[in-house]
Structure formats: structure tokens, C-alpha cells
PDB file of all heavy atoms in Angstrom:
ATOM      1  N   PRO A   1     -80.283 161.096  63.822  1.00 95.00           N
ATOM      2  CA  PRO A   1     -79.338 160.159  63.211  1.00 95.00           C
ATOM      3  C   PRO A   1     -79.982 159.459  62.014  1.00 95.00           C
ATOM      4  O   PRO A   1     -81.183 159.176  62.013  1.00 95.00           O
ATOM      5  CB  PRO A   1     -79.049 159.161  64.336  1.00 95.00           C
ATOM      6  CG  PRO A   1     -79.429 159.861  65.590  1.00 95.00           C
ATOM      7  CD  PRO A   1     -80.544 160.788  65.231  1.00 95.00           C
ATOM      8  N   ALA A   2     -79.169 159.171  61.002  1.00 96.00           N
ATOM      9  CA  ALA A   2     -79.669 158.558  59.774  1.00 96.00           C
ATOM     10  C   ALA A   2     -78.638 157.602  59.195  1.00 96.00           C
ATOM     11  O   ALA A   2     -77.443 157.724  59.453  1.00 96.00           O
ATOM     12  CB  ALA A   2     -80.001 159.641  58.757  1.00 96.00           C
ATOM     13  N   LEU A   3     -79.131 156.665  58.418  1.00 95.00           N
ATOM     14  CA  LEU A   3     -78.279 155.733  57.689  1.00 95.00           C
ATOM     15  C   LEU A   3     -78.113 156.267  56.269  1.00 95.00           C
ATOM     16  O   LEU A   3     -79.107 156.536  55.580  1.00 95.00           O
ATOM     17  CB  LEU A   3     -78.926 154.345  57.655  1.00 95.00           C
ATOM     18  CG  LEU A   3     -78.196 153.259  56.885  1.00 95.00           C
ATOM     19  CD1 LEU A   3     -76.850 152.953  57.524  1.00 95.00           C
ATOM     20  CD2 LEU A   3     -79.052 152.009  56.816  1.00 95.00           C
ATOM     21  N   VAL A   4     -76.894 156.464  55.839  1.00 94.00           N
ATOM     22  CA  VAL A   4     -76.632 156.955  54.480  1.00 94.00           C
ATOM     23  C   VAL A   4     -76.811 155.777  53.520  1.00 94.00           C
ATOM     24  O   VAL A   4     -76.080 154.788  53.585  1.00 94.00           O
ATOM     25  CB  VAL A   4     -75.212 157.548  54.360  1.00 94.00           C
ATOM     26  CG1 VAL A   4     -74.943 157.992  52.928  1.00 94.00           C
ATOM     27  CG2 VAL A   4     -75.026 158.699  55.338  1.00 94.00           C
ATOM     28  N   LEU A   5     -77.803 155.881  52.640  1.00 91.00           N
ATOM     29  CA  LEU A   5     -78.062 154.836  51.655  1.00 91.00           C
ATOM     30  C   LEU A   5     -77.307 155.087  50.354  1.00 91.00           C
ATOM     31  O   LEU A   5     -76.864 154.157  49.698  1.00 91.00           O
ATOM     32  CB  LEU A   5     -79.564 154.754  51.353  1.00 91.00           C
ATOM     33  CG  LEU A   5     -80.473 154.436  52.538  1.00 91.00           C
ATOM     34  CD1 LEU A   5     -81.926 154.514  52.102  1.00 91.00           C
ATOM     35  CD2 LEU A   5     -80.146 153.066  53.114  1.00 91.00           C
ATOM     36  N   LEU A   6     -77.196 156.351  49.991  1.00 88.00           N
ATOM     37  CA  LEU A   6     -76.543 156.717  48.738  1.00 88.00           C
ATOM     38  C   LEU A   6     -75.929 158.095  48.908  1.00 88.00           C
ATOM     39  O   LEU A   6     -76.626 159.055  49.245  1.00 88.00           O
ATOM     40  CB  LEU A   6     -77.574 156.741  47.598  1.00 88.00           C
ATOM     41  CG  LEU A   6     -77.104 157.180  46.223  1.00 88.00           C
ATOM     42  CD1 LEU A   6     -76.062 156.215  45.669  1.00 88.00           C
ATOM     43  CD2 LEU A   6     -78.270 157.286  45.268  1.00 88.00           C
ATOM     44  N   ASP A   7     -74.633 158.172  48.716  1.00 89.00           N
ATOM     45  CA  ASP A   7     -73.934 159.452  48.777  1.00 89.00           C
ATOM     46  C   ASP A   7     -73.921 160.041  47.370  1.00 89.00           C
ATOM     47  O   ASP A   7     -73.174 159.579  46.499  1.00 89.00           O
ATOM     48  CB  ASP A   7     -72.513 159.263  49.301  1.00 89.00           C
ATOM     49  CG  ASP A   7     -71.756 160.561  49.476  1.00 89.00           C
ATOM     50  OD1 ASP A   7     -72.230 161.614  48.986  1.00 89.00           O
ATOM     51  OD2 ASP A   7     -70.688 160.538  50.106  1.00 89.00           O
ATOM     52  N   LEU A   8     -74.759 161.025  47.138  1.00 82.00           N
ATOM     53  CA  LEU A   8     -74.906 161.573  45.792  1.00 82.00           C
ATOM     54  C   LEU A   8     -73.646 162.258  45.287  1.00 82.00           C
ATOM     55  O   LEU A   8     -73.472 162.429  44.081  1.00 82.00           O
ATOM     56  CB  LEU A   8     -76.093 162.530  45.748  1.00 82.00           C
ATOM     57  CG  LEU A   8     -77.452 161.841  45.977  1.00 82.00           C
ATOM     58  CD1 LEU A   8     -78.557 162.876  46.034  1.00 82.00           C
ATOM     59  CD2 LEU A   8     -77.732 160.808  44.904  1.00 82.00           C
ATOM     60  N   ASP A   9     -72.740 162.634  46.182  1.00 87.00           N
ATOM     61  CA  ASP A   9     -71.467 163.217  45.756  1.00 87.00           C
ATOM     62  C   ASP A   9     -70.581 162.192  45.066  1.00 87.00           C
ATOM     63  O   ASP A   9     -69.657 162.547  44.344  1.00 87.00           O
ATOM     64  CB  ASP A   9     -70.713 163.820  46.948  1.00 87.00           C
ATOM     65  CG  ASP A   9     -71.381 165.077  47.482  1.00 87.00           C
ATOM     66  OD1 ASP A   9     -72.097 165.746  46.707  1.00 87.00           O
ATOM     67  OD2 ASP A   9     -71.190 165.375  48.666  1.00 87.00           O
ATOM     68  N   GLN A  10     -70.848 160.903  45.287  1.00 90.00           N
ATOM     69  CA  GLN A  10     -70.037 159.851  44.690  1.00 90.00           C
ATOM     70  C   GLN A  10     -70.644 159.278  43.406  1.00 90.00           C
ATOM     71  O   GLN A  10     -70.044 158.451  42.752  1.00 90.00           O
ATOM     72  CB  GLN A  10     -69.812 158.729  45.698  1.00 90.00           C
ATOM     73  CG  GLN A  10     -69.004 159.170  46.886  1.00 90.00           C
ATOM     74  CD  GLN A  10     -68.767 158.043  47.873  1.00 90.00           C
ATOM     75  OE1 GLN A  10     -69.221 156.931  47.704  1.00 90.00           O
ATOM     76  NE2 GLN A  10     -68.032 158.356  48.930  1.00 90.00           N
ATOM     77  N   VAL A  11     -71.834 159.720  43.056  1.00 89.00           N
ATOM     78  CA  VAL A  11     -72.509 159.240  41.849  1.00 89.00           C
ATOM     79  C   VAL A  11     -71.936 159.968  40.644  1.00 89.00           C
ATOM     80  O   VAL A  11     -71.828 161.196  40.650  1.00 89.00           O
ATOM     81  CB  VAL A  11     -74.035 159.473  41.953  1.00 89.00           C
ATOM     82  CG1 VAL A  11     -74.735 159.082  40.658  1.00 89.00           C
ATOM     83  CG2 VAL A  11     -74.605 158.682  43.125  1.00 89.00           C
ATOM     84  N   GLN A  12     -71.575 159.201  39.608  1.00 93.00           N
ATOM     85  CA  GLN A  12     -70.957 159.797  38.428  1.00 93.00           C
ATOM     86  C   GLN A  12     -71.965 160.107  37.321  1.00 93.00           C
ATOM     87  O   GLN A  12     -71.677 160.885  36.427  1.00 93.00           O
ATOM     88  CB  GLN A  12     -69.871 158.876  37.893  1.00 93.00           C
ATOM     89  CG  GLN A  12     -68.725 158.708  38.871  1.00 93.00           C
ATOM     90  CD  GLN A  12     -67.650 157.768  38.356  1.00 93.00           C
ATOM     91  OE1 GLN A  12     -67.727 157.268  37.243  1.00 93.00           O
ATOM     92  NE2 GLN A  12     -66.644 157.528  39.164  1.00 93.00           N
ATOM     93  N   GLN A  13     -73.139 159.514  37.379  1.00 92.00           N
ATOM     94  CA  GLN A  13     -74.149 159.744  36.355  1.00 92.00           C
ATOM     95  C   GLN A  13     -74.792 161.114  36.566  1.00 92.00           C
ATOM     96  O   GLN A  13     -74.827 161.631  37.674  1.00 92.00           O
ATOM     97  CB  GLN A  13     -75.240 158.667  36.414  1.00 92.00           C
ATOM     98  CG  GLN A  13     -74.796 157.317  35.919  1.00 92.00           C
ATOM     99  CD  GLN A  13     -73.887 156.583  36.900  1.00 92.00           C
ATOM    100  OE1 GLN A  13     -73.791 156.935  38.063  1.00 92.00           O
ATOM    101  NE2 GLN A  13     -73.205 155.573  36.417  1.00 92.00           N
ATOM    102  N   PRO A  14     -75.332 161.687  35.494  1.00 91.00           N
ATOM    103  CA  PRO A  14     -76.037 162.969  35.610  1.00 91.00           C
ATOM    104  C   PRO A  14     -77.238 162.850  36.557  1.00 91.00           C
ATOM    105  O   PRO A  14     -77.871 161.796  36.661  1.00 91.00           O
ATOM    106  CB  PRO A  14     -76.503 163.259  34.181  1.00 91.00           C
ATOM    107  CG  PRO A  14     -75.605 162.445  33.304  1.00 91.00           C
ATOM    108  CD  PRO A  14     -75.251 161.223  34.106  1.00 91.00           C
ATOM    109  N   ALA A  15     -77.552 163.936  37.223  1.00 86.00           N
ATOM    110  CA  ALA A  15     -78.625 163.944  38.225  1.00 86.00           C
ATOM    111  C   ALA A  15     -79.960 163.485  37.651  1.00 86.00           C
ATOM    112  O   ALA A  15     -80.712 162.767  38.319  1.00 86.00           O
ATOM    113  CB  ALA A  15     -78.750 165.333  38.828  1.00 86.00           C
ATOM    114  N   ASP A  16     -80.271 163.864  36.402  1.00 91.00           N
ATOM    115  CA  ASP A  16     -81.557 163.462  35.835  1.00 91.00           C
ATOM    116  C   ASP A  16     -81.628 161.954  35.609  1.00 91.00           C
ATOM    117  O   ASP A  16     -82.688 161.345  35.794  1.00 91.00           O
ATOM    118  CB  ASP A  16     -81.873 164.231  34.545  1.00 91.00           C
ATOM    119  CG  ASP A  16     -80.839 164.035  33.446  1.00 91.00           C
ATOM    120  OD1 ASP A  16     -79.674 163.692  33.750  1.00 91.00           O
ATOM    121  OD2 ASP A  16     -81.191 164.240  32.270  1.00 91.00           O
ATOM    122  N   GLU A  17     -80.512 161.317  35.274  1.00 92.00           N
ATOM    123  CA  GLU A  17     -80.487 159.861  35.116  1.00 92.00           C
ATOM    124  C   GLU A  17     -80.696 159.165  36.462  1.00 92.00           C
ATOM    125  O   GLU A  17     -81.404 158.172  36.554  1.00 92.00           O
ATOM    126  CB  GLU A  17     -79.162 159.403  34.498  1.00 92.00           C
ATOM    127  CG  GLU A  17     -79.024 159.710  33.035  1.00 92.00           C
ATOM    128  CD  GLU A  17     -77.714 159.177  32.475  1.00 92.00           C
ATOM    129  OE1 GLU A  17     -77.147 158.208  33.030  1.00 92.00           O
ATOM    130  OE2 GLU A  17     -77.256 159.738  31.457  1.00 92.00           O
ATOM    131  N   VAL A  18     -80.078 159.697  37.495  1.00 88.00           N
ATOM    132  CA  VAL A  18     -80.235 159.131  38.835  1.00 88.00           C
ATOM    133  C   VAL A  18     -81.685 159.269  39.285  1.00 88.00           C
ATOM    134  O   VAL A  18     -82.291 158.321  39.795  1.00 88.00           O
ATOM    135  CB  VAL A  18     -79.279 159.805  39.841  1.00 88.00           C
ATOM    136  CG1 VAL A  18     -79.536 159.323  41.252  1.00 88.00           C
ATOM    137  CG2 VAL A  18     -77.833 159.559  39.444  1.00 88.00           C
ATOM    138  N   ALA A  19     -82.268 160.435  39.076  1.00 88.00           N
ATOM    139  CA  ALA A  19     -83.658 160.668  39.460  1.00 88.00           C
ATOM    140  C   ALA A  19     -84.597 159.716  38.720  1.00 88.00           C
ATOM    141  O   ALA A  19     -85.512 159.145  39.314  1.00 88.00           O
ATOM    142  CB  ALA A  19     -84.043 162.119  39.195  1.00 88.00           C
ATOM    143  N   ASP A  20     -84.365 159.521  37.420  1.00 92.00           N
ATOM    144  CA  ASP A  20     -85.192 158.602  36.630  1.00 92.00           C
ATOM    145  C   ASP A  20     -85.070 157.173  37.156  1.00 92.00           C
ATOM    146  O   ASP A  20     -86.069 156.464  37.283  1.00 92.00           O
ATOM    147  CB  ASP A  20     -84.807 158.647  35.155  1.00 92.00           C
ATOM    148  CG  ASP A  20     -85.236 159.927  34.458  1.00 92.00           C
ATOM    149  OD1 ASP A  20     -86.077 160.666  35.009  1.00 92.00           O
ATOM    150  OD2 ASP A  20     -84.703 160.189  33.355  1.00 92.00           O
ATOM    151  N   ALA A  21     -83.850 156.747  37.447  1.00 90.00           N
ATOM    152  CA  ALA A  21     -83.630 155.385  37.948  1.00 90.00           C
ATOM    153  C   ALA A  21     -84.311 155.179  39.305  1.00 90.00           C
ATOM    154  O   ALA A  21     -84.927 154.136  39.544  1.00 90.00           O
ATOM    155  CB  ALA A  21     -82.135 155.092  38.053  1.00 90.00           C
ATOM    156  N   LEU A  22     -84.211 156.166  40.183  1.00 86.00           N
ATOM    157  CA  LEU A  22     -84.861 156.054  41.488  1.00 86.00           C
ATOM    158  C   LEU A  22     -86.380 156.024  41.340  1.00 86.00           C
ATOM    159  O   LEU A  22     -87.059 155.271  42.041  1.00 86.00           O
ATOM    160  CB  LEU A  22     -84.426 157.206  42.398  1.00 86.00           C
ATOM    161  CG  LEU A  22     -82.980 157.155  42.865  1.00 86.00           C
ATOM    162  CD1 LEU A  22     -82.606 158.453  43.576  1.00 86.00           C
ATOM    163  CD2 LEU A  22     -82.729 155.960  43.770  1.00 86.00           C
ATOM    164  N   ALA A  23     -86.911 156.821  40.435  1.00 91.00           N
ATOM    165  CA  ALA A  23     -88.362 156.823  40.205  1.00 91.00           C
ATOM    166  C   ALA A  23     -88.826 155.473  39.668  1.00 91.00           C
ATOM    167  O   ALA A  23     -89.838 154.932  40.126  1.00 91.00           O
ATOM    168  CB  ALA A  23     -88.735 157.942  39.241  1.00 91.00           C
ATOM    169  N   ARG A  24     -88.083 154.905  38.726  1.00 91.00           N
ATOM    170  CA  ARG A  24     -88.438 153.583  38.183  1.00 91.00           C
ATOM    171  C   ARG A  24     -88.372 152.528  39.281  1.00 91.00           C
ATOM    172  O   ARG A  24     -89.235 151.660  39.376  1.00 91.00           O
ATOM    173  CB  ARG A  24     -87.514 153.203  37.029  1.00 91.00           C
ATOM    174  CG  ARG A  24     -87.829 153.917  35.735  1.00 91.00           C
ATOM    175  CD  ARG A  24     -87.082 153.293  34.557  1.00 91.00           C
ATOM    176  NE  ARG A  24     -85.654 153.159  34.784  1.00 91.00           N
ATOM    177  CZ  ARG A  24     -84.742 154.104  34.542  1.00 91.00           C
ATOM    178  NH1 ARG A  24     -85.125 155.266  34.038  1.00 91.00           N
ATOM    179  NH2 ARG A  24     -83.472 153.892  34.758  1.00 91.00           N
ATOM    180  N   SER A  25     -87.352 152.586  40.109  1.00 86.00           N
ATOM    181  CA  SER A  25     -87.200 151.633  41.194  1.00 86.00           C
ATOM    182  C   SER A  25     -88.368 151.740  42.176  1.00 86.00           C
ATOM    183  O   SER A  25     -88.904 150.737  42.621  1.00 86.00           O
ATOM    184  CB  SER A  25     -85.874 151.887  41.921  1.00 86.00           C
ATOM    185  OG  SER A  25     -85.757 151.051  43.024  1.00 86.00           O
ATOM    186  N   GLY A  26     -88.760 152.945  42.498  1.00 80.00           N
ATOM    187  CA  GLY A  26     -89.893 153.151  43.397  1.00 80.00           C
ATOM    188  C   GLY A  26     -91.191 152.647  42.814  1.00 80.00           C
ATOM    189  O   GLY A  26     -92.015 152.054  43.503  1.00 80.00           O
ATOM    190  N   GLN A  27     -91.378 152.842  41.516  1.00 79.00           N
ATOM    191  CA  GLN A  27     -92.587 152.351  40.859  1.00 79.00           C
ATOM    192  C   GLN A  27     -92.622 150.830  40.854  1.00 79.00           C
ATOM    193  O   GLN A  27     -93.655 150.219  41.122  1.00 79.00           O
ATOM    194  CB  GLN A  27     -92.664 152.881  39.425  1.00 79.00           C
ATOM    195  CG  GLN A  27     -92.937 154.371  39.352  1.00 79.00           C
ATOM    196  CD  GLN A  27     -92.753 154.903  37.948  1.00 79.00           C
ATOM    197  OE1 GLN A  27     -92.282 154.212  37.044  1.00 79.00           O
ATOM    198  NE2 GLN A  27     -93.113 156.168  37.763  1.00 79.00           N
ATOM    199  N   ALA A  28     -91.485 150.199  40.593  1.00 72.00           N
ATOM    200  CA  ALA A  28     -91.415 148.735  40.581  1.00 72.00           C
ATOM    201  C   ALA A  28     -91.683 148.189  41.977  1.00 72.00           C
ATOM    202  O   ALA A  28     -92.386 147.198  42.148  1.00 72.00           O
ATOM    203  CB  ALA A  28     -90.057 148.273  40.080  1.00 72.00           C
ATOM    204  N   ALA A  29     -91.146 148.829  42.999  1.00 70.00           N
ATOM    205  CA  ALA A  29     -91.350 148.366  44.367  1.00 70.00           C
ATOM    206  C   ALA A  29     -92.810 148.495  44.763  1.00 70.00           C
ATOM    207  O   ALA A  29     -93.356 147.610  45.446  1.00 70.00           O
ATOM    208  CB  ALA A  29     -90.467 149.164  45.325  1.00 70.00           C
ATOM    209  N   SER A  30     -93.477 149.551  44.355  1.00 70.00           N
ATOM    210  CA  SER A  30     -94.872 149.716  44.744  1.00 70.00           C
ATOM    211  C   SER A  30     -95.758 148.704  44.027  1.00 70.00           C
ATOM    212  O   SER A  30     -96.758 148.253  44.570  1.00 70.00           O
ATOM    213  CB  SER A  30     -95.356 151.148  44.458  1.00 70.00           C
ATOM    214  OG  SER A  30     -95.415 151.406  43.079  1.00 70.00           O
ATOM    215  N   ARG A  31     -95.384 148.297  42.809  1.00 71.00           N
ATOM    216  CA  ARG A  31     -96.161 147.269  42.099  1.00 71.00           C
ATOM    217  C   ARG A  31     -96.012 145.901  42.764  1.00 71.00           C
ATOM    218  O   ARG A  31     -96.957 145.137  42.843  1.00 71.00           O
ATOM    219  CB  ARG A  31     -95.724 147.204  40.640  1.00 71.00           C
ATOM    220  CG  ARG A  31     -96.256 148.308  39.786  1.00 71.00           C
ATOM    221  CD  ARG A  31     -96.077 147.987  38.309  1.00 71.00           C
ATOM    222  NE  ARG A  31     -94.679 147.806  37.946  1.00 71.00           N
ATOM    223  CZ  ARG A  31     -93.877 148.760  37.496  1.00 71.00           C
ATOM    224  NH1 ARG A  31     -94.332 149.971  37.344  1.00 71.00           N
ATOM    225  NH2 ARG A  31     -92.633 148.506  37.171  1.00 71.00           N
TER     226      ARG A  31
END
């Protein structure tokens, strides 16, 4: 069982933009 955090089928932005945003968010969280 899992908690759905983000349904990628509902995201309207291009996949590369989503990937970049998630990477930036992860970097900020680790700092």
C-alpha cells in the first residue's frame, strides 16, 4: 500500500520541467 503524492497523469507541464522542479526541491530540502 502507498500514499499517492502526485498523480503524474494530471500534471500539465512537460515531463522534463516536472523532473527539474522535483530535483530542485530535493536539493533545497537536503540543504
Side-chain angles (χ1 to χ4, degrees):
L3 178 64
V4 177
L5 300 175
L6 177 64
D7 184 348
L8 294 175
D9 290 335
Q10 295 181 358
V11 175
Q12 296 179 3
Q13 288 75 15
D16 60 337
E17 287 182 25
V18 174
D20 288 345
L22 290 171
R24 284 192 308 273
S25 176
Q27 290 169 352
S30 68
R31 283 194 300 268

